[in-house]
């Protein structure tokens, strides 16, 4: 491998049910880097996450997208995961009848990262303790009856167990109280390092105080309208989006 | 092929066979069989046009005259059924429902030492007349065409009686086996639990894999006395050429507890009645079931939770997965009699459609004639959820594996209700095979 693996999108356009949401996205995130993707509601941030991950409802209508120099277009979501992409869902779905342990086992096996049962249970125990997840969650059906905060911790637990090369965190901070936010952010920072690239999607700068992104992008109406250093996030916290975007932010339709 | 338990030859399900059954019966049973044969000849075949029970299940393709009573049980099939017992419930007594009256019961010493009776129904009809009469009282000979035929034709059968206060030391595994081309069988299970007795029964129905025509007309008569506990598991694995009509009916005395589990995998067409009559105050029935259909299977379950006394409780959950062109039909009734104050009943049926050609109908109903009761019902049918599938795939799990895990997960809570852990594991294995695309219609014969 030559250098760190990179997620690269070039002029990426995508539609949902015939409506264009992404209108040409250029973004590049390498292993070892933390990027923040900010922007008002409805700007297309989550659409970018689902499009990169390969959700069948999101149709790529133009541009290019690759990871580690491999074309992602035409790859199914499971193949993208095997390349090392991971999505922390904002609203992960419940799968009744499938326990957290069985879910993780199936994922590790599929990615060729299986480990002996004892080692698996030890690692799971350690990660759960660090994320303050109760032991009982091992045998609970995944996301079934979990609170919002429990779902977010469970997503970070999967991130920790699966160790992808690039993780997209889709509003992992939303709906968390300050303590839960710190636990989750610390969970991400324990994993962060030269082997993983992180793209953090958020409205709020608070989580960025923990994650300390190298690059901050601002997205609006399906485009990245500005990129900068950590200062940009602070400026958004101070001034809001409107002065940066130079326009009033309309109340968007939910996507 | 070797055989056990040969019997007198009969060529068809006709008057000669009926007369042979009468001749082999004690007087009370002979009278019952005569009346049953008369009822059978007088009653028309059920029809989708005339009979509400059969509205969605068409048996116009069933030609009874093409079937002949089973004579022999294939040794390889018997060995396969024994092997299931050995794996799922190694301590269980094994009782073969054989076409001849020979006693084919093994490993029952512990039960017999407790005073438990395990014998053929044929034998019990002579030696324990009153118990058998009482148990069969709930199955009148003219209640339906198939009930009449069963009453006229059953042979062998299995009878279990647990005396008052006895907690049976081992389960009883009953094997209803059939093989051959065009065989007719009349599986008979009669279980009587006296007051405060307890017992686990596994009632297994199986034929070899393959599409040979087979006709099974079965009755399981379950009587649970005051304060008794009956765990009953019916496992249906007929081959894909089988027509199966069955009534599993339990009568529960005061504070009796029934845990009933039905697993349906086999047969080209099934019509199974799962019925609990809560006759005594405080009786409870937990009924659960799993059904997996593929190919052209048509699998019909009809349930009845009859609350006839105060403070009775019942709960039913049937989970069904159908694929290819398979069809599931479910209808269920909770009936609350005026006397059944404070009855608590729930019935639900959940269906997962795995192919666009698969179909599931579901009609749960309540009929309440008492005040101050708590009753409800629910039914759903749907395909595998796209978001669940995508979630798995984002973790690297391929679509087919994701679907398998989702289907298995769908069945998980109902498998947890199987009242015997070894059998729960067996059913889990059978389900895994079904999900993997290996239908469990029929069993693979084993060298005897």
């Amino acid at each position: 491998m030559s250098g760190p693996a990179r997620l690269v999108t070039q002029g990426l356009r995508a539609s949902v049910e015939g409506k264009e949401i992404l209108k040409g996205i250029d973004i590049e995130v390498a292993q070892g880097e933390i990027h923040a993707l900010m922007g008002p509601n409805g700007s297309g941030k989550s659409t970018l996450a689902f499009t990169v991950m390969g959700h069948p409802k999101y149709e790529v209508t133009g541009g290019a997208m690759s990871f580690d120099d491999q074309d992602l277009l035409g790859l199914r979501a499971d193949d993208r995961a095997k390349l090392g992409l991971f999505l922390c869902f904002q609203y992960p779905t419940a799968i009744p009848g499938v326990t957290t342990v069985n879910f993780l086992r199936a994922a590790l096996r599929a990615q060729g990262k299986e480990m002996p049962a004892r080692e698996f249970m030890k690692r799971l125990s350690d990660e759960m303790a660090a994320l303050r997840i109760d032991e009982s969650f091992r045998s609970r059906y995944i996301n079934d009856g979990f609170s919002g905060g429990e779902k977010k911790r469970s997503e970070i637990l999967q991130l920790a167990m699966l160790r992808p090369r690039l993780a997209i965190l889709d509003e992992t901070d939303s709906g968390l109280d300050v303590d839960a936010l710190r636990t989750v952010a610390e969970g991400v920072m324990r994993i962060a390092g030269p082997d993983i690239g992180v793209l953090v999607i958020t409205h709020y700068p608070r989580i960025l105080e923990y994650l300390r992104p190298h690059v901050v992008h601002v997205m609006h109406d399906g485009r990245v309208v500005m990129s900068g250093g950590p200062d940009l996030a602070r400026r958004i916290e101070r001034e809001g989006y409107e002065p940066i975007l130079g326009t009033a932010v309309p109340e968007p339709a939910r996507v | 092929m070797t055989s056990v338990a040969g019997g007198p030859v009969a060529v068809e399900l006709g008057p000669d066979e009926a007369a042979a059954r009468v001749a082999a019966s004690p007087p009370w049973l002979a009278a019952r069989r005569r009346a049953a044969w008369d009822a059978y000849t007088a009653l028309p075949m059920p029809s989708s046009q005339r009979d509400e029970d059969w509205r969605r299940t068409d048996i116009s393709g069933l030609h009874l005259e093409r079937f002949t009573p089973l004579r022999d049980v294939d040794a390889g099939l018997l060995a396969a059924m024994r092997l299931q017992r050995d794996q799922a419930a190694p301590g269980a007594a094994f009782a073969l429902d054989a076409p001849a009256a020979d006693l084919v019961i093994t490993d029952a010493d512990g039960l017999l030492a407790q005073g438990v009776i395990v014998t053929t129904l044929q034998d019990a009809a002579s030696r324990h007349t009153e118990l058998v009469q009482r148990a069969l009282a709930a199955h009148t000979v003219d209640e339906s065409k198939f009930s009449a035929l069963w009453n006229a034709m059953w042979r062998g059968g299995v009878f279990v009686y647990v005396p008052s206060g006895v907690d049976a030391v081992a389960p009883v595994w009953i094997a209803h086996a059939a093989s051959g081309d065009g065989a007719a069988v009349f599986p008979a299970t009669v279980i009587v639990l006296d007051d405060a007795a307890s017992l686990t029964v596994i009632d297994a129905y199986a034929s070899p894999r393959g599409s040979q025509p087979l006709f099974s007309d079965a009755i399981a008569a379950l009587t649970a006395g005051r304060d008794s506990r009956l765990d009953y598991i019916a496992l249906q694995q007929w081959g894909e050429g089988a027509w199966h009509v069955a009534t599993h009916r339990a009568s529960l005395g005061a504070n009796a507890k029934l845990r009933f589990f039905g697993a349906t995998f086999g047969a080209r067409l099934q019509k199974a009645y799962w019925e609990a009559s809560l006759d005594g105050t405080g009786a409870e029935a937990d009924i659960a079931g799993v059904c997996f259909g593929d190919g052209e299977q048509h699998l019909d379950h009809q349930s009845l939770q009859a609350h006839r006394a105060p403070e009775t409780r019942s709960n039913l959950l049937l989970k069904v997965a159908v694929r290819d062109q398979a069809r599931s039909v479910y209808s269920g009734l909770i009936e609350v009699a005026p006397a059944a104050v404070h009855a608590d009943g729930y019935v639900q049926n959940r269906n997962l459609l795995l192919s666009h050609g698969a179909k599931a109908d579901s009609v749960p109903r309540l009929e309440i004639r008492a005040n101050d009761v708590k009753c409800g019902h629910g039914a759903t049918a749907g395909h595998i959820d796209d978001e669940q599938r995508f979630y798995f795939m984002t973790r690297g799990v391929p679509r087919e594996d994701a679907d398998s895990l989702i289907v298995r997960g769908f069945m998980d809570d109902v498998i947890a209700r199987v009242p015997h852990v070894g059998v729960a594991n067996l059913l889990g294995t059978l389900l895994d095979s079904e999900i993997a695309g290996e239908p469990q219609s029929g069993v693979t014969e084993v060298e005897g």
Side-chain angles (χ1 to χ4, degrees):
Chain A
M1 199 175 72
S2 54
R6 294 171 181 278
L7 172 70
V8 180
T9 73
Q10 289 167 313
L12 184 69
R13 307 175 84 91
S15 299
V16 183
E17 287 159 4
K19 185 174 188 293
E20 184 168 70
I21 309 287
L22 302 185
K23 299 173 180 171
I25 301 278
D26 297 293
I27 212 166
E28 194 171 323
V29 183
Q31 266 180 310
E33 296 175 357
I34 298 179
H35 290 229
L37 182 63
M38 304 185 70
N41 251 330
S43 53
K45 304 185 301 295
S46 292
T47 297
L48 177 64
F50 279 112
T51 304
V52 169
M53 209 60 223
H55 193 294
K57 262 203 282 193
Y58 295 74
E59 190 198 351
V60 174
T61 53
M65 167 166 71
S66 66
F67 180 67
D68 196 16
D69 297 326
Q70 300 210 45
D71 189 1
L72 293 178
L73 296 176
L75 285 189
R76 298 187 316 187
D78 53 318
D79 292 324
R80 297 182 195 201
K82 282 171 202 149
L83 276 183
L85 295 178
F86 181 90
L87 173 61
C88 255
F89 283 74
Q90 186 181 1
Y91 302 110
T93 187
I95 308 181
V98 177
T99 62
T100 294
V101 161
N102 286 345
F103 185 85
L104 279 168
R105 280 239 170 88
L108 287 165
R109 192 165 51 240
Q111 298 195 19
K113 297 176 181 170
E114 230 171 344
M115 57 188 101
R118 277 183 68 174
E119 188 190 333
F120 170 79
M121 292 315 277
K122 170 81 171 70
R123 263 193 62 192
L124 184 63
S125 247
D126 292 350
E127 300 292 356
M128 287 176 79
L131 288 163
R132 295 170 205 208
I133 298 173
D134 192 85
E135 291 274 309
S136 67
F137 277 71
R138 290 170 184 222
S139 51
R140 280 182 63 181
Y141 296 156
I142 194 148
N143 297 321
D144 193 23
F146 288 18
S147 70
E150 287 163 351
K151 285 181 184 172
K152 299 295 168 75
R153 287 167 207 246
S154 162
E155 291 292 291
I156 300 300
L157 174 65
Q158 293 176 44
L159 172 67
M161 293 297 288
L162 293 170
R163 299 285 167 146
R165 292 198 284 166
L166 189 123
I168 302 172
L169 312 185
D170 188 8
E171 301 200 15
T172 297
D173 53 345
S174 67
L176 294 181
D177 63 35
V178 276
D179 295 325
L181 179 65
R182 190 187 314 118
T183 305
V184 163
E186 285 171 358
V188 175
M189 288 315 285
R190 272 189 304 112
I191 297 152
D195 295 332
I196 184 169
V198 181
L199 178 62
V200 190
I201 294 174
T202 182
H203 292 294
Y204 307 108
R206 176 168 282 154
I207 191 173
L208 303 180
E209 288 169 20
Y210 296 100
L211 300 188
R212 304 190 175 283
H214 307 104
V215 185
V216 176
H217 309 275
V218 179
M219 207 171 151
H220 181 55
D221 191 25
R223 292 181 181 87
V224 174
V225 293
M226 189 177 292
S227 297
D231 292 355
L232 186 52
R234 281 181 219 117
R235 197 178 144 204
I236 289 167
E237 175 142 65
R238 262 194 333 266
E239 302 172 16
Y241 287 113
E242 290 190 8
I244 291 168
L245 301 172
T247 170
V249 176
E251 205 47 47
R254 221 182 119 52
V255 291
Chain B
M1 186 188 288
T2 54
S3 303
V4 295
V9 180
V11 290
E12 59 179 8
L13 299 174
D16 292 349
E17 174 68 10
R21 302 273 59 78
V22 166
S25 299
W28 75 269
L29 183 57
R32 194 180 154 93
R33 287 194 187 276
R34 273 189 220 99
W37 181 253
D38 290 345
Y40 169 71
T41 51
L43 288 166
M45 277 294 268
S47 132
S48 300
Q49 283 78 46
R50 271 194 321 270
D51 301 293
E52 181 58 31
D53 278 15
W54 297 85
R55 203 153 73 80
R56 293 178 176 81
T57 295
D58 177 9
I59 50 161
S60 58
L62 169 63
H63 301 287
L64 289 176
E65 68 279 6
R66 293 182 191 164
F67 293 90
T68 55
L70 178 76
R71 289 178 53 213
D72 302 320
V73 173
D74 175 60
L77 171 63
L78 182 54
M81 294 184 81
R82 265 186 199 283
L83 185 62
Q84 274 192 337
R85 186 279 310 258
D86 296 347
Q87 289 167 348
F94 189 82
L96 173 65
D97 181 2
D102 304 8
L103 199 62
V104 204
I105 287 160
T106 51
D107 310 318
D109 294 351
L111 291 169
L112 300 178
Q114 287 185 296
V116 174
I117 298 168
V118 187
T119 184
T120 64
L121 183 56
Q122 187 73 36
D123 174 56
S126 302
R127 292 172 53 205
H128 310 287
T129 306
E130 203 192 317
L131 288 173
V132 177
Q133 284 175 333
R134 206 156 24 114
L136 291 182
H139 296 263
T140 54
V141 298
D142 59 353
E143 74 171 60
S144 75
K145 180 88 171 170
F146 292 111
S147 174
L149 184 60
W150 179 88
N151 273 288
M153 291 290 178
W154 67 263
R155 306 168 63 177
V158 174
F159 175 82
V160 183
Y161 168 76
V162 186
S164 181
V166 170
D167 179 2
V169 289
V172 178
W173 190 290
I174 300 173
H176 306 281
S179 50
D181 195 354
V185 284
F186 300 90
T189 294
V190 174
I191 309 291
V192 179
L193 267 59
D194 216 324
D195 295 348
S198 64
L199 176 70
T200 298
V201 174
I202 296 96
D203 214 11
Y205 303 77
S207 59
R209 290 180 190 279
S211 56
Q212 298 94 331
L214 171 75
F215 170 63
S216 154
D217 180 6
I219 284 184
L222 317 172
T223 310
R226 171 184 290 270
D227 297 315
S228 65
R229 179 197 62 75
L230 175 61
D231 289 344
Y232 175 83
I233 300 161
L235 169 57
Q236 194 272 84
Q237 278 192 281
W238 293 125
E240 61 190 72
W243 302 77
H244 177 58
V245 181
T247 301
H248 306 262
R249 182 176 293 163
S251 307
L252 309 179
N255 297 314
K257 285 187 171 53
L258 168 70
R259 289 191 292 180
F260 177 111
F261 195 91
T264 301
F265 294 107
R268 64 178 285 178
L269 181 142
Q270 164 183 292
K271 173 82 191 179
Y273 295 89
W274 293 354
E275 301 181 354
S277 181
L278 300 111
D279 300 331
T281 302
E284 295 184 13
D286 276 298
I287 303 165
V290 59
C291 167
F292 202 112
D294 31 35
E296 306 267 312
Q297 285 184 295
H298 180 110
L299 303 170
D300 180 331
H301 296 88
Q302 180 166 342
S303 66
L304 173 66
Q305 294 150 264
H307 291 258
R308 299 191 168 129
E311 318 289 342
T312 44
R313 191 186 65 76
S314 72
N315 185 293
L316 183 146
L317 171 63
L318 172 63
K319 284 204 165 177
V320 177
V322 274
R323 104 168 127 213
D324 305 328
Q325 308 297 312
R327 183 171 181 196
S328 165
V329 173
Y330 172 73
S331 55
L333 175 63
I334 297 181
E335 191 183 81
V336 181
V341 291
H342 301 143
D344 178 347
Y346 198 73
V347 54
Q348 59 174 327
N349 169 225
R350 312 240 169 255
N351 299 286
L352 193 53
L353 308 172
L354 302 178
S355 313
H356 287 284
K359 204 175 159 197
D361 292 316
S362 190
V363 191
R365 289 188 301 132
L366 307 177
E367 203 175 285
I368 296 168
R369 289 180 288 130
N371 293 320
D372 199 8
V373 303
K374 199 172 97 188
C375 287
H377 63 78
T380 55
H383 293 97
I384 287 184
D385 185 86
D386 286 337
E387 298 306 320
Q388 291 181 354
R389 179 186 283 145
F390 178 66
Y391 190 53
F392 259 119
M393 290 176 73
T394 64
R395 302 319 188 224
V397 179
R399 179 189 164 117
E400 298 69 29
D401 295 354
D403 285 3
S404 295
L405 290 159
I406 292 165
V407 178
R408 191 62 178 79
F410 168 75
M411 295 293 193
D412 196 69
D413 61 340
V414 75
I415 290 294
R417 284 170 64 164
V418 176
H420 183 281
V421 66
V423 179
N425 292 337
L426 169 66
L427 297 182
T429 307
L430 295 174
L431 263 182
D432 288 339
S433 301
E434 282 277 6
I435 292 166
E438 303 154 22
Q440 296 303 304
S441 294
V443 297
T444 304
E445 292 161 276
V446 172
E447 284 294 320

